[in-house]
Amino acid sequence: MDLDRRRILHSGAAVLGSVALGASLPAGAAAGVREPGGPSGDAHAAGGRSAATANYPPVGAGTAFLDHRSLLGDVPEAEWYEANIPFVDLPDAAIQETYYYRWRVIKHALKYTGPQEGWILSEFLGPVGYSAPHGGIVAAAAHHIREARWLRDHRYLDDYIGYWLRGSGSGPKPATDFLNKNTTDWAHQYSFWIADAVVARASTDGRWQHAVSLLPELERQWKGWAPQFDAEVGLYWQTPVWDAMEYTASSYQSDDPYHGGDGFRPTLNAYQYGDARAIAALLRHRGHRGDDAEADRYDARAHALRVSQERRLWDEEDRFYKHVMRDGNPGLRRIADREQIGFLPWYFHMAPARHAAAWAQLRDPQGFSAPFGPTTVERRSPWFMHEALEGCCRWNGPSWPFSTSQTLTALANLLIDYPAQPHVDRTDYYAVLRSYALTHRKNGAPYVAEAHHPDEDRWIYDSRGHSEDYNHSTFNDLVLSGLLGIRPRPGNTVVIAPLAPLGWDHFAVENLAYHGHNLSVLWDRDGRHYGHGAGLTVWLNGRRIHQQAGLQQVTLDVGGAVQHVLPHEVDDLANVGQEGHPLARASYTFPLDSPAKAIDGQDLQRDTPSSRWTNYGSPNDSDWLAVDFGVPTPVSDLRISFYDDGGGVRTPDSFELHYLGEGGTWHPVPGQRRVPATPRRGALNRILLDRSLTTTALRLTAVRTAGGAVGVSAWQSWRTQDPRLDVAIETPPDGLVPVEPGEAVEVTTTVGAHATTVVSPELLVPEGWEAVPRHTVRPTSVKAGRTLRTRWLVTAPAGLPPRLPQPLRLLVRSRGKGAEHFVTSVVNQAQAG
C-alpha cells in the first residue's frame, strides 16, 4: 500500500504458575517429561475478595526437551511466550532467529481496543489514516489469523475475527477513492479470504463450534463481493490497489498506474474459491437440515470459478495465471507479464495438478528468483523494478513479505498435497524460506518492514516510526506448517510431513497447541542430539505416540479435541482512541511521549514508534502518572509493564499506587499483593488486591533510588466478566444517553441471561451526579433467555456544559460455581443537548 496514502493521515520446565503467583506444579508422569505450565492465580476468593485469574493460559502436560529461555533470549514478558507459542529448535540460525523475532512482531501487533470489542491485530504499530475503527486494516487480516492460529490463547483471534465479521470492522465506511469507492464497509475495503483462514484456524485448535457459529457472517462476507462479479466472464474483478498492490506491472499498462486498471485477477477469484470451499466445509460440519444441499451449492460456485479461471486467466503458452484487463479489452487478452500472484491458486488447492510447470518460474533466474526474493514480477518483464527505487510503494519487482508468504504457503501445498512433479522440490522450499528469513535484518538485528530489495540486503520501503515490525505477512506459519510439516486436519488426526532438508540431522517443535493437546515432534537422525531415540518421534501431552526412521509423511491419531475455556477478561483502563475517558495525565512527560499512550491498548517495548509515557528529562525528584476513569470503577487486578530502553529510561526500583477517595484525597491502594515483589526488568508487574475497591482514579509513582527516568508502556486494570450475561444501557440511535442539567431523567438498563443467574445491578455515575433506582434493587434471579430491566432516575449537575460526554457505568455483580465472583460492566456516554 502507498506510503503517501498512509502518511496522510530456560528450561522447558519453566512454570507459569510460579512466575505469576508463586504456585508450584507437579512433575509430569512420563520419564524425561515435566509439566511446562499450569494455571496461575489463586482459587477465587470468597467473602467479597477479589478473584485472581491466570495471567496466561495453562500450557498443560507436555515435553521439556528444549531450553526455552535460552531460545527466547532477552525478551520482555518471557512468560507470555512460554504460555503461548510452540518452541522450535532448528539447525538454520537465520530461520530460527527470525522465527522467535516474528512472535515478538505478533505480540507487538496485539492491540486491546476496549471491553466492547477486545483484541485486534494491527498491521502498523502506529495509527494510519485509512484504517478501520481502532486501527484495523483488512488487507492482511487473513495472514494474521493464519499466523496467530498457533497461539494457545484463543481469545485474541476470537475477538479479532469477531471484529471483522460482527464488530466495527464490518461496519460502514465512506465509498471514497481514498478508502475504496467500490465498497461501503471496512471488511471489503481490501481483498480478504477470511472463511479459509477461519477453517485453517479451527483445524488447528479444534474449536469447530466457534467456527460454525460464524457461518451467517461468513456467508454475508462472501456474498458481499457480488457487485464485483461479472456473470458473463464468470469471474470477480478487482482494482489492484485494493488487492493492497499499487503500481504493479499490470497497473503500469493501464491509464492509472497507481490504482491499476480494474481486472480479472488470480487474487480475489482464488480468495472467493477458497472461502466458498471453507463455507461448504463448515455447513457440512454443522449438519443442520438443508446444510448439505447448501454446501453443494457453494462447492458448485467454487467449481464454476475454477473453470472460468482456467479459461480466462491461465496462459497455456507461458504456463501461468495472469491478470486480464476488464475495460478496453474486448477479447479478454491476458497481459504478457507473469506476476507473483499467479502462484495464488495453489494456496487454496484451486489449481489442477497439470499446471505445476508454473512453479519452474520460481527458481528461474529470469523468472522470480532473487537472493532476497521472490520478486513480485518476473525479471523478463519490462516493468521489473520500474521506478521502484523512487519511493514507496511499487509491487513490480521488490520482495514483498505479503506475497512471499502466500507463495510459500502455496508451494508447501504443492509439495505435500499434490502428486509428485519435476519442477520444484523441498530444496526449493527451503531455499526460498531461507532467503525470506534473510530479508528480516537491519543493521544486523531482526527486523521486518514493507518491502525489500530483491538483490541487495536492504529494505527499500521503510520509514521511521511507521514501518517497524510491519505485520503484513506470515513467517512462523510457514515454518510450522511447511518446513516442519505440521498439517492440521479437521478430524482427530494430524499429518506430519516435513519439508526440512534431508541433510538436517535434527530439528524439533515442542508443545505446539493442537486440538487442545500439546504436540512435540523431534527429528534426531542418530538419537544423539536430543537423546530420546533415533529418527522422527512424536509426543502428545508428554507421552511418545510414534517413532519412525525417516522423514516420510505420516498421519497420526491424536484423539478428540479438548476444549479449554478461558475467562472473559476486560481492561477498564484501555482507551485506544485516546479521547474522553479513561483520561491519562502526568506531572511531567518527555515531549516525544504521552500519558495517553500508557493506556492505548498496546505494549510496545521498542523505541519507535513511541507508545509509552516516560519522564525522561524531568526536573522533578519523582513524577506520577494518573488515570481518571470519569466514573466509579471497580479495581482488583492491575498490571503494569515498565518501559526500559537500557539507557536513559530504566525499570524503577519501587513504585506506589494511590486511589482517589471522597473529597478528592489520594490514599494508598490497600491490600496489595505484587508479583514480582519488586519491579524486575522485562517482567509484567501484577498487583492483586485482597478486596476489590471502587474508585474514579488511580495514580502511579515509580522511582529509581539513584534517580533517573522511568516509563510505562502499558497500564491495565483487568476484571472477569460473566459469560452468561449481556448487559446494556439503553440509548437512542446516536449512542448517547440524553440528560438535562439539574433535572432527573429516566435511564433504562438491561441484564440478559443465557443461563439462569442471580444478578445485582448498579448504575454508577460521575462525581456530582445522582442515580436513584425507581424501585428497590436487590439480588434477582434472571432465568435463561429472560432480561431484567431496571429504571433509574439520573440527575446531572446543573452546571453541566452541553455536548460534553460523560461516562455512565452499569455494573452487574454475579456468582458462578462455588465462590466464583464476576463483575460485568458496560459504559455509555451521557450528554446534555
Side-chain angles (χ1 to χ4, degrees):
M1 285 170 286
D2 178 48
L3 180 61
D4 293 334
R5 175 184 294 272
R6 288 192 296 265
R7 279 180 169 168
I8 287 176
L9 316 172
H10 129 89
S11 150
V15 179
L16 298 184
S18 61
V19 170
L21 292 172
S24 60
L25 293 170
V33 179
R34 289 175 285 180
E35 183 90 359
S40 58
D42 293 343
H44 293 281
R49 293 181 180 273
S50 62
T53 59
N55 270 15
Y56 314 103
V59 176
T63 61
F65 302 132
L66 306 180
D67 184 344
H68 294 186
R69 292 306 171 91
S70 176
L71 289 166
L72 285 174
D74 184 21
V75 297
E77 200 180 347
E79 296 80 15
W80 182 90
Y81 300 90
E82 181 73 47
N84 276 291
I85 73 168
F87 283 80
V88 303
D89 178 45
L90 307 173
D92 188 305
I95 295 177
Q96 178 169 295
E97 184 178 25
T98 304
Y99 175 86
Y100 289 105
Y101 163 68
R102 286 298 297 256
W103 283 126
R104 299 203 297 275
V105 170
I106 286 291
K107 190 173 188 300
H108 281 163
L110 288 170
K111 178 187 289 189
Y112 186 78
T113 66
Q116 184 173 353
E117 296 195 283
W119 295 95
I120 68 169
L121 281 147
S122 63
E123 178 177 320
F124 298 98
L125 297 182
V128 294
Y130 59 91
S131 64
H134 309 310
I137 302 175
V138 79
H143 278 327
H144 299 160
I145 297 168
R146 293 277 299 211
E147 190 88 333
R149 65 177 170 150
W150 304 101
L151 294 177
R152 184 167 281 103
D153 195 329
H154 60 73
R155 292 170 293 191
Y156 300 127
L157 285 187
D158 284 359
D159 288 349
Y160 187 48
I161 292 169
Y163 167 84
W164 288 119
L165 292 178
R166 296 170 173 168
S168 56
S170 66
K173 73 163 186 65
T176 64
D177 178 70
F178 183 68
L179 298 175
N180 188 351
K181 64 183 180 180
N182 300 325
T183 66
T184 57
D185 69 271
W186 293 109
H188 290 88
Q189 182 184 17
Y190 292 93
S191 301
F192 186 25
W193 61 105
I194 188 169
D196 177 84
V198 164
V199 166
R201 190 256 182 136
S203 297
T204 305
D205 68 11
R207 298 172 63 248
W208 286 94
Q209 184 176 357
H210 176 263
V212 165
S213 73
L214 301 170
L215 263 171
E217 291 81 10
L218 290 171
E219 291 192 76
R220 183 184 65 205
Q221 173 73 14
W222 192 89
K223 293 172 182 177
W225 292 107
Q228 291 177 226
F229 183 73
D230 188 315
E232 183 177 347
V233 177
L235 293 172
Y236 293 87
W237 58 268
Q238 181 60 293
T239 308
V241 71
W242 303 120
D243 270 339
M245 300 177 66
E246 54 270 21
Y247 295 110
T248 66
S250 53
S251 301
Y252 276 114
Q253 297 173 62
S254 74
D255 58 3
D256 184 358
Y258 170 74
H259 291 89
D262 297 336
F264 305 103
R265 297 164 57 76
T267 51
L268 185 55
N269 288 287
Y271 300 162
Q272 284 291 88
Y273 173 90
D275 277 7
R277 294 295 304 274
I279 291 170
L282 289 173
L283 285 164
R284 293 191 175 94
H285 198 280
R286 185 172 68 180
H288 290 177
R289 177 177 293 182
D291 279 354
D292 280 347
E294 185 64 11
D296 289 342
R297 284 189 282 273
Y298 272 99
D299 278 340
R301 293 164 183 157
H303 176 74
L305 275 177
R306 185 183 191 187
V307 170
S308 296
Q309 179 158 278
E310 292 304 304
R311 178 186 177 193
R312 303 292 190 181
L313 305 188
W314 176 254
D315 187 324
E316 183 61 32
E317 183 178 351
D318 281 352
R319 296 188 175 186
F320 215 75
Y321 293 99
K322 295 182 175 180
H323 174 104
V324 173
M325 296 290 187
R326 185 193 68 177
D327 303 324
N329 186 21
L332 296 180
R333 178 177 52 85
R334 305 171 196 92
I335 66 169
D337 316 81
R338 298 180 181 91
E339 296 178 283
Q340 194 181 1
I341 58 174
F343 293 122
L344 262 174
W346 282 270
Y347 185 110
F348 302 96
H349 299 88
M350 186 184 191
R354 66 179 182 275
H355 290 343
W359 288 93
Q361 298 299 321
L362 182 67
R363 303 295 288 155
D364 190 321
Q366 291 304 306
F368 299 92
S369 181
F372 300 96
T375 62
T376 40
V377 70
E378 62 179 335
R379 292 179 182 272
R380 300 180 188 88
S381 170
W383 303 106
F384 175 72
M385 296 296 285
H386 176 67
E387 300 179 339
L389 301 182
E390 296 180 12
C392 188
C393 297
R394 288 163 171 79
W395 310 123
N396 62 338
S399 174
W400 187 30
F402 182 105
S403 194
T404 298
S405 54
Q406 288 182 327
T407 298
L408 280 163
T409 299
L411 179 55
N413 289 344
L414 173 74
L415 296 174
I416 295 172
D417 302 331
Y418 278 73
Q421 40 69 43
H423 308 288
V424 282
D425 59 24
R426 67 171 64 227
T427 62
D428 298 303
Y429 185 88
Y430 172 61
V432 177
L433 179 66
R434 191 170 199 281
S435 70
Y436 181 29
L438 291 175
T439 66
H440 286 70
R441 299 293 182 274
K442 183 178 180 179
N443 299 325
Y447 189 82
V448 61
E450 299 177 64
H452 198 281
H453 198 292
D455 297 315
E456 301 174 12
D457 189 8
R458 63 187 178 101
W459 293 96
I460 56 175
Y461 305 149
D462 177 20
S463 54
R464 181 175 173 81
H466 178 80
S467 304
E468 297 89 354
D469 286 359
Y470 185 46
N471 186 32
H472 201 242
S473 58
T474 63
F475 183 87
N476 294 341
D477 184 62
L478 305 172
V479 172
L480 296 169
S481 68
L483 184 69
L484 303 182
I486 312 297
R487 311 290 286 184
R489 290 293 180 262
N492 296 337
T493 63
V494 64
V495 173
I496 312 294
L499 295 176
L502 294 177
W504 278 10
D505 288 329
H506 72 276
F507 64 76
V509 56
E510 181 162 73
N511 296 332
L512 177 145
Y514 184 77
H515 291 202
H517 304 285
N518 278 327
L519 187 71
S520 297
V521 180
L522 272 63
W523 165 246
D524 193 343
R525 188 182 302 278
D526 57 14
R528 296 178 183 176
H529 192 83
Y530 300 113
H532 288 278
L536 186 77
T537 57
V538 181
W539 303 69
L540 188 71
N541 299 328
R543 297 189 180 277
R544 188 165 56 197
I545 62 170
H546 179 75
Q547 185 168 18
Q548 64 185 43
L551 287 176
Q552 66 271 21
Q553 179 174 320
V554 61
T555 301
L556 301 174
D557 189 342
V558 296
V562 177
Q563 301 298 320
H564 298 287
V565 179
L566 300 176
H568 180 200
E569 294 185 307
V570 298
D571 173 18
D572 288 317
L573 273 178
N575 184 351
V576 65
Q578 301 180 33
E579 296 179 352
H581 293 89
L583 175 64
R585 54 194 179 89
S587 58
Y588 177 87
T589 301
F590 180 59
L592 296 181
D593 299 321
S594 166
K597 290 183 178 180
I599 58 170
D600 66 357
Q602 288 183 284
D603 184 2
L604 302 185
Q605 294 286 340
R606 56 172 305 135
D607 289 337
T608 55
S610 171
S611 178
R612 61 184 177 267
W613 165 81
T614 75
N615 68 341
Y616 184 76
S618 173
N620 307 321
D621 292 334
S622 66
D623 287 291
W624 50 259
L625 172 68
V627 179
D628 178 6
F629 290 107
V631 66
T633 300
V635 175
S636 61
D637 183 353
L638 299 170
R639 303 175 196 179
I640 303 171
S641 179
F642 290 110
Y643 178 73
D644 189 325
D645 63 8
V649 182
R650 303 302 301 268
T651 303
D653 296 304
S654 63
F655 64 91
E656 295 180 353
L657 285 170
H658 291 79
Y659 74 95
L660 190 63
E662 294 182 3
T665 303
W666 291 100
H667 306 277
V669 172
Q672 300 179 41
R673 183 155 55 97
R674 299 183 177 185
V675 181
T678 57
R680 186 175 67 243
R681 185 183 185 189
L684 179 68
N685 294 267
R686 190 178 189 191
I687 303 95
L688 293 165
L689 307 189
D690 288 343
R691 292 181 181 274
S692 175
L693 67 86
T694 300
T695 183
T696 57
L698 293 169
R699 189 177 71 186
L700 165 69
T701 305
V703 297
R704 291 166 56 188
T705 303
V710 296
V712 175
S713 59
W715 188 6
Q716 307 154 351
S717 178
W718 292 94
R719 60 180 165 81
T720 303
Q721 300 219 116
D722 194 331
R724 302 168 297 177
L725 302 181
D726 294 318
V727 302
I729 301 173
E730 291 188 352
T731 65
D734 64 4
L736 294 171
V737 178
V739 295
E740 292 293 335
E743 298 182 15
V745 174
E746 186 173 274
V747 174
T748 301
T749 63
T750 61
V751 181
H754 302 290
T756 300
T757 310
V758 177
V759 302
S760 299
E762 181 181 5
L763 185 63
L764 302 176
V765 294
E767 184 178 0
W769 293 50
E770 186 178 60
V772 179
R774 277 194 173 274
H775 304 285
T776 302
V777 175
R778 55 175 55 92
T780 303
S781 178
V782 183
K783 294 183 178 180
R786 304 296 294 272
T787 298
L788 172 68
R789 303 174 71 85
T790 308
R791 292 175 173 82
W792 311 77
L793 292 178
V794 175
T795 305
L800 180 70
R803 296 181 177 83
L804 178 65
Q806 294 292 302
L808 305 182
R809 179 181 295 277
L810 171 62
L811 186 148
V812 181
R813 301 184 189 277
S814 59
R815 292 185 63 172
K817 297 179 180 179
E820 193 173 34
H821 288 261
F822 298 106
V823 178
T824 305
S825 182
V826 66
V827 172
N828 280 89
Q829 301 298 315
Q831 177 178 284

